[in-house]
Amino acid sequence: MATTMQRAEAAEHAMSEELDRIVVKSVLYTSGERDPRVPAPRPPDQGKLYLMGHDPRLPKMPDKPTLFDFFRYRFGPSAHMLQSARLAQKNGTSEKVVLACLLHDIAIAGFIRSDHGYWSAQLLEPYVDEEVSWAIRYHQTLRFFADESVGYKYPEMYVKLFGADYVPEPHIQAAHRYAREHKWYMTSRLITVNDLYSFDPNAKVELEEFTDIVGRNFKQPTEGLGFDPSPTAHMWRTINWPTRYL
Ligand SMILES: [Fe+2]
Ligand SMILES: [Fe+2]
């Protein structure tokens, strides 16, 4: 009897048969499901070329992709971020905070979940005000710590997700102590205050609602996100072309 894993591999194999090019997954995509130290199984070459660039299984992105194009073509459902941004706006926060809320979980939506605050911040750093990326970096840590002065409690959801006995690791405790004393602490804290899941389950928020705020506060590169010379452009390229061989 085929295991789920074998069935998944067979399906994947059939899929790659249909492709003109050979697709090899990065170690990080499968590490854990498989032991990364063991060589990954490879489809037979049969004179085929390896994929370099667009993966035909994905919607093609425009040649000069914008931030919104990544939301549309590469990110998973982003209602949570859109709702957070609208809530921040409703609460009368600054444009910086609204933007930070709109983008705070982009790593979860489209890149890497683990340490998502850091990855999100790094992706955005060259394109937003330093305060915005700083706030996004530390929201991940601050979510674990209550601040009664702004009515932020330890999330009930975290008890459900991680268990009542979860204690943030020492590096997270240290990051909290650091952030707590920082001049931008409250900017980051405001992300956590507005970081709610479906405050209104019926609210439908469109990306376009934030066109102006993004236009004023996000430095969209003319070459397209990923093809500019910024220090994190390669990360956007990888999201665009996640299966490129090199
Ligand atoms: Fe988050
Ligand atoms: Fe969030």
Side-chain angles (χ1 to χ4, degrees):
M1 205 178 77
T3 63
T4 311
M5 191 70 174
Q6 280 165 337
R7 276 198 299 273
E9 270 165 18
E12 197 171 288
H13 186 70
M15 176 91 97
S16 68
E17 289 281 270
E18 288 162 26
L19 295 173
D20 297 340
R21 301 253 176 171
I22 293 167
V23 179
V24 178
K25 276 187 188 166
S26 291
V27 171
L28 196 60
Y29 299 169
T30 56
S31 190
E33 282 164 20
R34 36 179 313 281
D35 184 339
R37 296 167 302 175
V38 178
R42 286 196 173 223
D45 284 57
Q46 291 165 345
K48 272 191 184 178
L49 298 171
Y50 284 77
L51 185 69
M52 288 294 277
H54 175 65
D55 188 324
R57 297 168 299 180
L58 293 170
K60 196 159 190 314
M61 292 197 72
D63 293 337
K64 295 178 178 178
T66 63
L67 177 66
F68 281 4
D69 287 329
F70 278 89
F71 271 85
R72 290 189 195 103
Y73 296 105
R74 287 294 179 274
F75 292 175
S78 45
H80 162 64
M81 289 187 287
L82 292 165
Q83 290 204 353
S84 296
R86 186 188 272 179
L87 181 60
Q89 219 163 21
K90 209 174 106 199
N91 288 335
T93 63
S94 68
E95 278 199 0
K96 276 183 192 173
V97 172
V98 175
L99 183 76
C101 288
L102 180 68
L103 303 175
H104 73 283
D105 285 336
I106 55 165
I108 291 179
F111 193 46
I112 297 174
R113 175 173 271 285
S114 171
D115 268 312
H116 74 282
Y118 294 81
W119 285 116
S120 300
Q122 196 177 355
L123 277 160
L124 295 163
E125 220 148 32
Y127 312 104
V128 297
D129 189 284
E130 212 185 330
E131 185 176 349
V132 172
S133 56
W134 190 95
I136 290 175
R137 176 169 286 115
Y138 286 98
H139 94 274
Q140 176 194 328
T141 294
L142 295 184
R143 287 279 269 139
F144 293 114
F145 300 90
D147 183 344
E148 297 294 345
S149 79
V150 287
Y152 181 82
K153 296 188 174 66
Y154 183 80
E156 269 300 314
M157 193 181 69
Y158 281 10
V159 178
K160 286 199 192 98
L161 289 174
F162 314 128
D165 57 354
Y166 171 72
V167 178
E169 293 82 348
H171 72 279
I172 299 176
Q173 305 270 0
H176 173 236
R177 284 194 298 275
Y178 165 76
R180 193 82 190 74
E181 299 306 317
H182 198 279
K183 64 177 172 183
W184 292 329
Y185 167 73
M186 206 33 88
T187 315
S188 191
R189 176 51 78 194
L190 283 173
I191 299 179
T192 72
V193 169
N194 293 289
D195 197 348
L196 297 185
Y197 285 82
S198 31
F199 67 96
D200 175 1
N202 300 314
K204 206 153 151 31
V205 189
E206 301 295 338
L207 211 43
E208 285 67 27
E209 206 172 304
F210 303 99
T211 302
D212 291 348
I213 288 186
V214 168
R216 280 191 291 272
N217 297 281
F218 184 87
K219 298 178 207 88
Q220 173 65 45
T222 51
E223 304 92 329
L225 211 42
F227 302 107
D228 54 310
S230 100
T232 67
H234 61 286
M235 293 163 66
W236 294 94
R237 274 201 307 279
T238 296
I239 297 173
N240 186 348
W241 295 331
T243 48
R244 199 180 147 103
Y245 192 68
L246 291 179

